[in-house]
Amino acid sequence: MADNVLSLVSTLSSSSLSQGQVSQHTAAISSVLGSAPPTSVATPTLQSLARISSQPTQFVRQFRSCSTQQIPELSGMVELLAEIARDEDIKTALSQEEEQTPSQQPVNFNSPDLKTLRERLLKEVVSSSNAQVIIEKPKVKTLFDTRPNLTANFLLPSAGDTLSQAKDSVSCLKGVPAVSQESLLLQELLYCLLGNGGRHIVPVQATTGVSFTLDKNIDQSLQSLILRLLPLASNYSNVVSWCEGVDRTTGLVNQALSAALELLLHDYRLLVCQLEQSLTKGQLTLHQMHHQLQSSKHCMEILSQLVQDIQARQATGGTTLSILHSKLVHCGSDPKSEKIVQFLTELAAKPFFETLSKWLYRGVIIDPGKDFFVEDHEVVDRTCLPTEYNDDYWEKRYCLRMDKVPAFLSRYADTILRTGKYLNVIQQCDKTARWPEIVPLQYLHNPEHYQTVFLKAHQFASTTLLQLLLNDRDLIGHLKSVKKYFLMEQGDFICQFLDLCDDELNQPVDCVEPARLESLLEMAARTSTANFDPYKDNLCVALLPYDLEFQMGKILAIDTAEEGEYQSCDTSLLSGMDAFAFGYQVEWPVSLVLNHKALAQYQMIFRHFFYCKHIERLLSAVWITNKQTKFLPGDQFKVYHPAFGLRQKMLNLIQNLSYYMCVEVVEPAWNSLVTSITECITIDEVLAKHGDFLNCCLHDCLLSSPQLLATVKKLLSVCAEFAAYMQNLTDCAEDFIEDIKRYDLQFNSVLASLLDRISQLGRDNYNEKVLNILHRLDFNGFYTSAVDQFKSTPGGLLGEMG
């Protein structure tokens, strides 16, 4: 083991450490590998790592992702990372190595060598974790380890004691008549049934529990009866052993089940005491004992099988309840067994349902035994995290532990989770909320009977949170503010902002000063009608490291084979206009609705609108510049006619496209959203309606198809190039005419391709709304006929539009 760690440390250090330092770090790493429990990591350790991380939010998210996947090596690797972070020598050596190789190519973490090294490290961590758990963390001693005579189970004798007892039994029963043997064995058997070994019936440890060896001198008929009763003692031993092994670490459900089993064992012990009284009066025989214990044999067998199933699965909490529920379902043909299992299930479920009641009616988890299936993942306090973490906090702080969900509650697990999360938000944000009375819950054999209770609790939580958002936190006001800026409703503000920031945004994105943009944004807001918006200060500037087309591809490539292609974008090719977007800083709990995903969708729509507005301004500037040509002679003025016609076609395209997106797509969808929100009765419905609104806008604004967006972007690029050309005219008339023809041909070709794609989209998706733009841009069928001719005769499009 030490040799493996030594070789790994030598490989990782890349010969930058001396042999003594390598040996020292090898010993330090070997001493801490796997020192944490395999399923948990200390919260102070995670907090310290998050504080020293350059990106604490990303660190917390990555840890949560690994924890949710229940990676067994996670605890050992985190402890190893914490030890490295505390060791200044290792950090100094790593920083020196980085300084010595500044021009080294980026490491390919998918290379075979690093994959092999990673597998070896994980293997060593796993093996060392197991070794450390066994060596350094032995099982905690219980009361029965220090005082074994307090147990209600068998005290198994040593080998020497077994031999001496065997010799004594031979001398005692050899030659004794069967009637006398029965009287002696009855007394010993009664003690054996309560976990006390005898001289002639000796308990022996077996693989499945306790077995017994009988004195060979016992009469055959008596042996036969005793052997029929001994499984009762073995099952009793299994049940008692499990009950005595239950402690605080196994959870409240297992403790409650142990207490319920003790009640049944108490009745069993009373029965054995009654049999002993009958023996004292001389009214008991082995046949009578066997007859009277038949019912107890069956019951004890059920209890033994139950605890063996729980022990085999190492079940706690909801898993234990699932086992009990399964037993109850499968013993319907045996009324007595059903009664016993139902009794155990109802008592064992009490602490679980107490926790469930607090979660359903108060939104808090009081679960000292870690039995509940909703787990609190709070590593760092929410107030210590940046504002943008709010929606992640909502999504990932509380999550389901599917292994702890009882089988009879599996269909309601998501409803229970969301109910408690809603109440938790209300707890944090509304201290004056009126809470309903906590309804005590209990185990019900038919899971359908839970539906009314859970739905009622969920409706209260969701409705209360909705009223908090609408009335106290003004959700509609925030949405209106977002619409003003992201959906370009505040026209004078956008024009004012573009007038102020046009020069700044035309630079490469690396040259744009965000602080200057922020000040210009504030000036535009103060000098326009946006000054009356109470939430104008929430608006901020965002310079994204990718353009709109890359952003769409990145979203569509999530969880696909192409995801690796969208990891980074070359910002040197981006202008400020391509990278610019608005951001919106929103407080908790409004960030439930205006979360990361929603704001990203708003940004995509805004960037599309904003760029169209920018192109329209460029073409309008060309119109202003071209007004000087009206003073030219008639023959010279005619040269500009094709350019004026092309400019007007481009303006017609941009204005009709903008009108379609703003008036025919956004406005109807917005009015429908506002109406729907006022009719919603739960926050779930609001989230669904808001998501539908954004998806509808993205789709109808041609932002759901990368091919369509690429075609639109290419068309706008042609317009931008034409505007730049017209602003920098030369005196060569022949070149001017040829250039205008070339721009006209490019524009007509790309526009025809766009209209064809839109037509295809409308037919494939049965979307009549998207066809409206087709009718606006091709109202007389000119482009449609040209496309048809182009498809039938190659080159037709060039001849028609040239």
Side-chain angles (χ1 to χ4, degrees), residues 242-487:
W242 184 83
C243 290
E244 291 181 349
V246 172
D247 55 18
R248 281 183 287 179
T249 62
T250 58
L252 296 180
V253 171
N254 283 16
Q255 293 180 51
L257 177 60
S258 175
L261 288 171
E262 287 291 346
L263 294 176
L264 297 180
L265 292 178
H266 178 70
D267 293 341
Y268 166 74
R269 293 176 184 127
L270 287 178
L271 174 60
V272 175
C273 291
Q274 292 172 359
L275 293 176
E276 187 180 19
Q277 289 181 354
S278 300
L279 176 63
T280 305
K281 296 177 181 178
Q283 300 174 356
L284 185 66
T285 64
L286 272 176
H287 287 86
Q288 291 174 337
M289 179 187 289
H290 181 266
H291 175 71
Q292 295 187 38
L293 290 176
Q294 287 301 307
S295 177
S296 297
K297 282 179 61 179
H298 179 59
C299 294
M300 200 63 68
E301 183 181 6
I302 294 174
L303 300 184
S304 178
Q305 290 178 352
L306 174 63
V307 298
Q308 285 177 356
D309 289 346
I310 294 174
Q311 198 166 13
R313 296 176 56 179
Q314 298 182 350
T316 59
T319 312
T320 299
L321 295 181
S322 295
I323 295 174
L324 288 167
H325 179 72
S326 177
K327 292 282 185 185
L328 183 58
V329 170
H330 290 92
C331 65
S333 59
D334 185 355
K336 188 169 185 179
S337 300
E338 182 179 6
K339 186 176 180 181
I340 292 173
V341 178
Q342 184 164 1
F343 169 76
L344 294 175
T345 308
E346 290 175 353
L347 289 185
K350 278 188 176 181
F352 178 87
F353 278 98
E354 288 176 1
T355 303
L356 178 59
S357 297
K358 293 288 182 62
W359 176 250
L360 275 177
Y361 294 99
R362 292 297 181 269
V364 296
I365 297 179
I366 303 177
D367 184 27
K370 305 298 180 183
D371 296 316
F372 199 45
F373 59 87
V374 177
E375 188 175 20
D376 188 350
H377 276 297
E378 185 173 21
V379 176
V380 185
D381 187 71
R382 179 176 61 89
T383 57
C384 301
L385 296 172
T387 306
E388 63 267 16
Y389 188 70
N390 278 341
D391 55 310
D392 249 11
Y393 177 84
W394 160 260
E395 289 294 335
K396 296 184 179 179
R397 175 178 173 180
Y398 296 105
C399 65
L400 290 176
R401 296 184 59 185
M402 298 308 299
D403 59 318
K404 291 294 183 77
V405 179
F408 52 88
L409 295 180
S410 58
R411 73 182 70 176
Y412 307 111
D414 188 59
T415 301
I416 294 171
L417 174 65
R418 285 184 283 113
T419 300
K421 288 170 74 172
Y422 294 162
L423 293 176
N424 187 264
V425 176
I426 299 170
Q427 285 271 14
Q428 297 179 39
C429 303
D430 187 7
K431 304 301 182 182
T432 62
R434 300 181 60 182
W435 300 97
E437 183 180 354
I438 296 179
V439 178
L441 302 175
Q442 61 181 0
Y443 172 78
L444 302 175
H445 183 54
N446 187 358
E448 295 291 339
H449 295 161
Y450 292 112
Q451 184 172 2
T452 304
V453 178
F454 292 157
L455 291 182
K456 185 177 179 181
H458 178 265
Q459 185 176 8
F460 167 80
S462 188
T463 303
T464 306
L465 178 57
L466 177 60
Q467 294 304 317
L468 171 68
L469 288 173
L470 292 179
N471 301 331
D472 186 45
R473 301 307 169 100
D474 192 19
L475 175 62
I476 298 295
H478 280 286
L479 291 177
K480 288 181 177 179
S481 182
V482 169
K483 178 174 181 279
K484 288 178 182 178
Y485 306 119
F486 286 84
L487 303 184

Side-chain angles (χ1 to χ4, degrees), residues 126-185:
V126 172
S127 60
S128 63
S129 298
N130 296 335
Q132 293 292 337
V133 169
I134 295 173
I135 296 173
E136 297 183 8
K137 298 203 172 185
K139 181 181 178 182
V140 179
K141 289 187 177 182
T142 64
L143 176 66
F144 302 106
D145 294 326
T146 56
R147 305 179 68 181
N149 290 316
L150 291 179
T151 182
N153 204 353
F154 293 99
L155 282 175
L156 299 178
S158 61
D161 294 336
T162 303
L163 291 176
S164 63
Q165 287 183 5
K167 292 179 180 178
D168 293 341
S169 64
V170 170
S171 61
C172 182
L173 290 181
K174 189 174 183 179
V176 177
V179 176
S180 300
Q181 286 186 7
E182 182 178 9
S183 177
L184 177 63
L185 292 173

Side-chain angles (χ1 to χ4, degrees), residues 488-551:
M488 308 280 281
E489 184 186 51
Q490 200 79 39
D492 63 326
F493 163 76
I494 296 297
C495 291
Q496 186 83 341
F497 179 75
L498 277 170
D499 288 338
L500 293 172
C501 301
D502 194 47
D503 294 338
E504 187 76 19
L505 293 177
N506 283 327
Q507 302 179 90
V509 66
D510 295 331
C511 300
V512 177
E513 290 291 341
R516 177 172 172 77
L517 282 181
E518 288 285 358
S519 62
L520 294 176
L521 172 64
E522 183 177 1
M523 183 184 298
R526 301 295 180 188
T527 57
S528 65
T529 54
N531 191 40
F532 299 99
D533 180 13
Y535 303 114
K536 62 180 179 298
D537 294 331
N538 291 355
L539 192 67
C540 61
V541 167
L543 290 175
L544 303 180
Y546 40 74
D547 59 9
L548 177 58
E549 195 172 0
F550 188 91
Q551 183 180 15

Side-chain angles (χ1 to χ4, degrees), residues 64 67 87 110 131 161 200 272 284 290 294 377 392 446 453 547 556 563 610 615 666 678 682 711 714 720 735 762 801:
R64 285 296 156 230
S67 178
D87 196 314
N110 293 321
D161 294 336
H200 310 292
V272 175
L284 185 66
H290 181 266
Q294 287 301 307
H377 276 297
D392 249 11
N446 187 358
V453 178
D547 59 9
L556 295 178
E563 187 172 6
F610 191 71
I615 299 300
V666 172
T678 57
T682 65
T711 306
K714 185 176 181 181
D735 291 344
M801 297 183 177

Side-chain angles (χ1 to χ4, degrees), residues 479-704:
L479 291 177
K480 288 181 177 179
S481 182
V482 169
K483 178 174 181 279
K484 288 178 182 178
Y485 306 119
F486 286 84
L487 303 184
M488 308 280 281
E489 184 186 51
Q490 200 79 39
D492 63 326
F493 163 76
I494 296 297
C495 291
Q496 186 83 341
F497 179 75
L498 277 170
D499 288 338
L500 293 172
C501 301
D502 194 47
D503 294 338
E504 187 76 19
L505 293 177
N506 283 327
Q507 302 179 90
V509 66
D510 295 331
C511 300
V512 177
E513 290 291 341
R516 177 172 172 77
L517 282 181
E518 288 285 358
S519 62
L520 294 176
L521 172 64
E522 183 177 1
M523 183 184 298
R526 301 295 180 188
T527 57
S528 65
T529 54
N531 191 40
F532 299 99
D533 180 13
Y535 303 114
K536 62 180 179 298
D537 294 331
N538 291 355
L539 192 67
C540 61
V541 167
L543 290 175
L544 303 180
Y546 40 74
D547 59 9
L548 177 58
E549 195 172 0
F550 188 91
Q551 183 180 15
M552 174 184 286
K554 186 174 183 178
I555 293 174
L556 295 178
I558 293 176
D559 296 330
T560 65
E562 300 176 354
E563 187 172 6
E565 301 176 6
Y566 292 93
Q567 293 302 316
S568 61
C569 179
D570 186 4
T571 57
S572 63
L573 304 177
L574 289 179
S575 67
M577 192 66 66
D578 293 327
F580 178 76
F582 280 147
Y584 194 80
Q585 298 173 347
V586 61
E587 295 181 354
W588 179 266
V590 181
S591 59
L592 297 179
V593 180
L594 293 174
N595 51 40
H596 275 174
K597 180 180 177 181
L599 287 178
Q601 291 174 304
Y602 276 117
Q603 284 179 341
M604 290 179 66
I605 299 173
F606 167 77
R607 297 176 82 179
H608 191 43
F609 284 11
F610 191 71
Y611 195 69
C612 290
K613 188 67 175 178
H614 170 64
I615 299 300
E616 183 181 357
R617 286 169 56 87
L618 292 180
L619 293 174
S620 298
V622 171
W623 176 80
I624 295 174
T625 303
N626 291 160
K627 290 180 68 175
Q628 300 175 3
T629 59
K630 65 182 181 181
F631 301 107
L632 295 176
D635 56 339
Q636 297 181 18
F637 183 76
K638 290 181 181 180
V639 176
Y640 290 93
H641 283 180
F644 296 163
L646 178 57
R647 183 203 64 214
Q648 195 58 38
K649 283 197 296 184
M650 291 180 174
L651 270 175
N652 180 68
L653 164 72
I654 299 297
Q655 292 171 350
N656 278 282
L657 181 62
S658 300
Y659 177 88
Y660 161 76
M661 293 189 295
C662 295
V663 178
E664 297 189 10
V665 174
V666 172
E667 281 302 324
W670 170 259
N671 293 332
S672 176
L673 173 65
V674 174
T675 304
S676 300
I677 289 179
T678 57
E679 296 174 354
C680 290
I681 59 176
T682 65
I683 188 63
D684 299 293
E685 296 178 11
V686 172
L687 293 174
K689 297 294 184 183
H690 187 238
D692 293 342
F693 163 75
L694 289 173
N695 291 333
C696 174
C697 290
L698 285 171
H699 182 268
D700 291 342
C701 290
L702 313 180
L703 292 174
S704 61

